[in-house]
Amino acid sequence: MSILSAETYTIKSPNEKLSVTVEINDDITYSITFNGETILGPSEIDMIVDAKNLGKDPKVQKVSRNTVLNTINPAVPRKYKDIINHYYELTIYFRGNYSLLFRVYDEGMAYRWETKMNKSIKVSGELTSFVFNDDHKIWFPEEESMFSHQEREYKYLSLSGIDENMFCSTAILVDLGKGRKAFISEAELVDYPGMYLQKYGDTGLQGKFPHYPLKTEQLNDRDIPVVEYADYLAVTSGTRSFPWRVVMITENDAQLIESEIIYKLSDPLKLDDVSWIKPGKVAWDWWNANNIYGVDFRAGINTETYKYYIDFASEYGIPYIILDEGWYDLDNIMSVAEGMDVEELIKYGKEKQVGIILWMTWKALDDQLEKALNQFEKWGVKGIKVDFMQRDDQWMVNYYYKIAREAAKRKLLVDFHGSYKPTGMHRAYPNVISFEGVKGLENNKWSMLPSPEHNLIIPFIRMVTGPMDYTPGAMINGTRENFRIVFDQPMSMGTRCHQLALYVVYESPLQMVADNPSNYYREPGCMEFLKEVPTTWDFTKVLHAKIAEYVAIARKQGDRWFMGALTNWDARSLEINFDFLEPGEYEIEIWKDGINADRFGSDFRYIKQTVNPDTVMTIDMAPGGGWAAVVNKVESL
C-alpha cells in the first residue's frame, strides 16, 4: 500500500482544541494536535494476537462515529458528586474481526483495541507508542524491576536523557512548556498486564508489559516474585475490549487535579447494592508502631491497645480502626495472634460505632480465601487491607478483581496496599475504596522521602489515576534542618499544617489517621479539624497549582467548604479569592503555620474570621508549610 492510498480519519474534542488523526497505511499511527500545535507526531500502534500483527497491512471494513453526553453519579464520589461525561468517538473496523476505538474528550484522548473472535486468544505483544514533537522534560518514576510496589521517586529528565535500559511505571507526566502538560496512563485494566514505559526513538516512549507468570518463588510471607515468564502477555477471551491507552493534554496544572478521565473511561458499576459502602477516616496503628503512652497497660499488639484505638476513634467520630501487621500468625491467616481477641474488639467497636478493618498479605488471604472471608463476614469485619502484591501481570490483575468481587459478596471494603496504581476498578467495584502505589508517609520511618516537594508532585501524576493511600496525619513535624529518621516514633517532613492540608489536597475515601492516638490527644486544636474533614467530595475547585511547588484547593461537601494549601521547601504567599462561594456571609476557621514554624515544624496558629464571595485573602506558608480551613455559611436571623 503506498502513502497515496493511506486512509486518514480525524476526530476532535467537543471544544475542538484537541484533534486526533489516525492514519491507516502499511501500519497504523495516530497523532495529536492541541490548539493547532503538534503534540504527538505519528505514533505507531500494534498488537500481536495469535501470531498476527493487527497493526500490519490492516484492511479497513467500515468506520463509525458517535457522540456521548451524559452524567455519571459515582457510588463513592472522589472529586465530584456529578461527573459530566462528554466525548466524541471513532471506531475503525478491520477485516479479521478486530477494531480500534478512539475516544476524545476536551481534556484528552484514549484508544483501545477490541476483538470479536470466537475462541480464546494469545496476546504475545503490544506496541503502544507516544512520539513527542520535541525533547521535553518528563517526570519519570523509574522502576528497578516489575516486582514493585510502584512507590517511586519522580526523576525530572529530558526524553532524550532516558537510557535505553531504563523503564518506569505509569502514570507519567511530560512538560510541554508554556504551562502545558501531557499525562499518560491506562484505564480499565482487566484480564491483561499493566503498562510500563521505556524509551522509543529520540523523543518517544513505548509500552513495556510484564509477561504471563509461569513460576513464582515464595521467599517469605509477602515477597513472591516471578522467576519464570511465558513468551506471551496474556491468554484471554477472543471477544473483548482491551485496556485504554490514555493521553491527557492540559493547559495548566490545575486541570490535572480536576480531571476524572480515568474514571470516565472505566467499566460502570457492577454491584447492585452499594448502600453498605461507607467511606471515612481510619485510625492506623502501624506507622506509629503502637507506641501509645500514658496508659496502665503494656502497649503493643493486644486487645487492650486496640480498645484504646477504638475509644480514640469513637471520641472523634472516626468510623474505623485498622488492625495492621501482627494480629494474625503470618503463616496462617486463620490463626489469631496470642493476646488478640478480634471478636471482642469487633463487639467493643460496635458498641462505640467503630468498625474494624483487617490487614493481611495477599498470599495469606489467597491461601484460605473463602474460609477467611467467610470468617470475616461472620465476625462483622468492615473491610480488608490487602498488601504486598507487588505485581501487575495478568494473573495478579485478575487476583485484584477476584478479591473485589468476593469481598463485595460479603460487604467488605478493600484497600489495596502494596499495589499498582488505580486504573478505574473503583468505578465498577466501589467497595475497592483506596489504593497505595505511591511513596507515602510510611517511608519517612526509614528515608528522607516523602519530602514537601514530593508531596507536591504526586497530586499532579499519581492522584490523577485514582484514590491514593498516602496515610497522612503526623503530629511530630520536622523542618528541613531537624527532620530525623526514627522508626518507632516517626515524624513527617514539613509543618503541622502541611499534614492537616493533606486531608483536603489528597483524595482517598478511606483516609488514614496515621499517628499515635496518644499524640492526637495532646493536640485537641488539630483534632478539631481532623474530626470534621470528610473523605469524599461533592465538588472540587483548584485555586492555585504548580507541580512540585504549590497547590491550593477548595472542596465542597454538603453546604460546607474545606480548603487546603501546600508549599514545597520554599516559604510562600498565595492570594486566595473566595469568589467560589455563593452570596452570603461565612465563618472561616483557619489552621496556619505559626510564626516559628520554620524552626519548629509543629508550630501552628488557629484563627476564626468572616469571609464572603468578595474576600481576597493572602495566606503565608513556612518552608514545607501548609494551610487548612473550614468554611461555614452564617445563617441569617
Side-chain angles (χ1 to χ4, degrees):
M1 185 184 293
S2 70
I3 192 67
L4 294 176
S5 59
E7 298 173 78
T8 302
Y9 307 93
T10 298
I11 179 172
K12 293 187 176 184
S13 59
N15 66 8
E16 299 192 343
K17 288 186 176 183
L18 192 151
S19 179
V20 178
T21 299
V22 184
E23 189 169 279
I24 315 296
N25 196 28
D26 295 328
D27 52 21
I28 303 172
T29 64
Y30 74 100
S31 56
I32 299 176
T33 62
F34 187 72
N35 285 332
E37 180 181 337
T38 298
I39 302 298
L40 290 184
S43 302
E44 186 178 355
I45 52 181
D46 191 11
M47 179 178 279
I48 305 173
V49 175
D50 292 340
K52 173 180 170 54
N53 289 72
L54 304 186
K56 299 300 182 184
D57 196 24
K59 301 295 189 293
V60 176
Q61 285 189 320
K62 67 174 182 176
V63 173
S64 68
R65 295 178 182 270
N66 187 33
T67 300
V68 170
L69 174 57
N70 57 31
T71 301
I72 301 169
N73 306 113
V76 178
R78 184 167 64 108
K79 302 174 189 288
Y80 310 105
K81 182 173 64 175
D82 305 304
I83 300 172
I84 303 301
N85 189 35
H86 189 197
Y87 60 85
Y88 295 158
E89 203 168 63
L90 168 71
T91 307
I92 305 172
Y93 298 89
F94 299 94
R95 186 184 306 164
N97 298 317
Y98 65 96
S99 57
L100 270 172
L101 174 59
F102 290 83
R103 189 175 288 180
V104 184
Y105 299 82
D106 287 345
E107 61 205 297
M109 63 79 65
Y111 78 85
R112 73 190 317 175
W113 292 96
E114 296 183 326
T115 55
K116 290 189 177 179
M117 302 172 186
N118 293 328
K119 58 183 179 61
S120 67
I121 56 176
K122 180 183 288 185
V123 181
S124 54
E126 179 184 348
L127 172 60
T128 177
S129 66
F130 310 90
V131 180
F132 287 89
N133 68 319
D134 205 348
D135 188 17
H136 300 300
K137 292 286 191 176
I138 178 175
W139 282 271
F140 190 83
E142 184 181 5
E143 295 284 356
E144 296 166 3
S145 79
M146 290 187 179
F147 183 62
S148 171
H149 291 283
Q150 298 192 7
E151 301 174 18
R152 311 310 296 174
E153 180 180 1
Y154 291 87
K155 296 183 176 180
Y156 192 54
L157 310 171
S158 61
L159 286 165
S160 64
I162 300 171
D163 185 84
E164 298 287 348
N165 298 317
M166 296 170 67
F167 70 97
C168 70
S169 46
T170 55
I172 62 97
L173 194 66
V174 177
D175 191 344
L176 303 175
K178 303 175 185 175
R180 302 164 306 164
K181 305 292 189 299
F183 167 94
I184 298 175
S185 195
E186 59 185 333
E188 205 171 305
L189 176 61
V190 181
D191 194 28
Y192 198 77
M195 182 176 70
Y196 297 73
L197 292 170
Q198 61 186 0
K199 191 179 184 71
Y200 184 74
D202 293 330
T203 59
L205 300 165
Q206 67 173 329
K208 177 181 175 69
F209 304 89
H211 284 225
Y212 190 84
L214 293 178
K215 184 179 178 181
T216 59
E217 181 180 358
Q218 184 159 353
L219 304 179
N220 48 50
D221 70 302
R222 60 201 59 190
D223 295 319
I224 309 171
V226 178
V227 294
E228 184 180 346
Y229 288 99
D231 62 356
Y232 55 86
L233 304 184
V235 173
T236 186
S237 170
T239 299
R240 62 162 296 173
S241 298
F242 287 86
W244 292 102
R245 308 302 172 211
V246 184
V247 182
M248 182 161 61
I249 309 295
T250 62
E251 295 181 274
N252 57 67
D253 290 355
Q255 292 171 341
L256 291 162
I257 294 176
E258 292 172 342
S259 172
E260 279 281 27
I261 193 169
I262 302 296
Y263 193 91
K264 289 188 281 192
L265 286 163
S266 299
D267 266 340
L269 182 66
K270 292 186 179 294
L271 303 180
D272 294 328
D273 176 22
V274 296
S275 61
W276 56 273
I277 300 174
K278 306 294 184 185
K281 295 185 288 290
V282 51
W284 189 31
D285 57 339
W286 188 86
W287 191 71
N288 56 77
N290 282 302
N291 203 2
I292 63 176
Y293 52 88
V295 295
D296 57 4
F297 56 84
R298 183 68 174 173
I301 299 172
N302 55 53
T303 303
E304 292 86 355
T305 296
Y306 286 106
K307 283 188 174 181
Y308 181 85
Y309 276 86
I310 290 169
D311 289 341
F312 162 73
S314 179
E315 180 173 344
Y316 286 105
I318 296 170
Y320 303 106
I321 73 160
I322 193 164
L323 311 190
D324 212 286
E325 182 175 355
W327 74 267
Y328 72 88
D329 178 346
L330 291 175
D331 294 323
N332 180 5
I333 199 171
M334 301 304 296
S335 176
V336 177
E338 185 177 353
M340 288 292 294
D341 188 335
V342 176
E343 290 183 88
E344 169 63 20
L345 288 171
I346 291 169
K347 178 183 175 183
Y348 187 74
K350 192 174 294 185
E351 294 170 358
K352 299 271 189 169
Q353 296 184 309
V354 176
I356 303 292
I357 293 172
L358 299 177
W359 171 94
M360 59 211 60
T361 65
W362 75 267
K363 187 65 165 61
L365 176 61
D366 198 46
D367 285 344
Q368 302 185 72
L369 182 62
E370 186 171 353
K371 187 176 180 181
L373 292 181
N374 287 343
Q375 180 70 277
F376 301 158
E377 182 183 27
K378 180 181 176 182
W379 281 346
V381 171
K382 296 300 182 183
I384 55 177
K385 177 181 176 181
V386 188
D387 204 349
F388 287 99
M389 288 73 70
Q390 303 180 85
R391 290 163 36 202
D392 58 355
D393 50 64
Q394 184 193 18
W395 188 95
M396 187 57 80
V397 168
N398 289 342
Y399 173 82
Y400 278 62
Y401 278 90
K402 177 173 69 173
I403 298 304
R405 290 189 298 267
E406 293 302 316
K409 291 176 185 176
R410 297 162 176 85
K411 297 186 176 180
L412 294 171
L413 302 176
V414 181
D415 174 18
F416 281 123
H417 218 62
S419 66
Y420 58 84
K421 83 284 178 184
T423 61
M425 176 192 291
H426 53 293
R427 180 178 175 189
Y429 295 97
N431 63 309
V432 178
I433 200 162
S434 198
F435 300 76
E436 194 183 20
V438 66
K439 189 178 285 292
L441 188 68
E442 66 184 29
N443 286 266
N444 279 150
K445 288 167 70 74
W446 55 79
S447 78
M448 300 296 286
L449 282 174
S451 64
E453 180 179 338
H454 174 83
N455 292 347
L456 279 151
I457 293 174
I458 54 180
F460 301 92
I461 306 177
R462 164 58 185 84
M463 196 172 77
V464 180
T465 66
M468 191 167 67
D469 192 16
Y470 173 98
T471 68
M475 292 291 107
I476 304 174
N477 315 106
T479 66
R480 193 171 199 165
E481 292 73 26
N482 64 28
F483 173 81
R484 297 292 183 270
I485 296 170
V486 184
F487 190 87
D488 287 347
Q489 296 184 50
M491 64 179 69
S492 68
M493 295 185 114
T495 70
R496 172 70 55 77
C497 288
H498 190 97
Q499 288 294 303
L500 296 182
L502 293 177
Y503 285 86
V504 179
V505 175
Y506 288 0
E507 299 160 359
S508 178
L510 189 72
Q511 188 68 277
M512 299 285 171
V513 181
D515 211 334
N516 188 334
S518 303
N519 288 343
Y520 287 127
Y521 279 132
R522 295 176 60 183
E523 301 289 349
C526 291
M527 289 309 301
E528 287 300 310
F529 177 78
L530 289 180
K531 77 176 183 181
E532 297 294 332
V533 65
T535 63
T536 61
W537 307 101
D538 295 342
F539 187 75
T540 292
K541 182 175 178 61
V542 180
L543 307 174
H544 295 281
K546 187 172 183 181
I547 184 170
E549 296 191 21
Y550 56 84
V551 70
I553 299 178
R555 301 192 193 261
K556 189 178 186 183
Q557 191 197 66
D559 57 0
R560 308 177 79 192
W561 286 89
F562 293 79
M563 303 175 69
L566 303 170
T567 185
N568 57 12
W569 282 125
D570 294 331
R572 195 176 308 276
S573 297
L574 294 176
E575 190 175 88
I576 302 296
N577 192 318
F578 286 80
D579 59 0
F580 58 87
L581 296 174
E582 296 177 356
E585 291 294 315
Y586 295 80
E587 179 182 82
I588 183 170
E589 299 177 84
I590 297 171
W591 289 258
K592 58 184 292 186
D593 291 329
I595 194 169
N596 295 303
D598 61 328
R599 297 171 59 196
F600 183 74
S602 298
D603 186 31
F604 76 95
R605 185 181 174 203
Y606 169 82
I607 59 175
K608 187 185 294 187
Q609 63 187 73
T610 59
V611 294
N612 60 54
D614 296 324
T615 300
V616 178
M617 179 187 298
T618 298
I619 65 171
D620 300 312
M621 293 181 283
W627 181 92
V630 184
V631 183
N632 291 293
K633 190 165 188 179
V634 177
E635 297 297 331
S636 57
L637 297 177

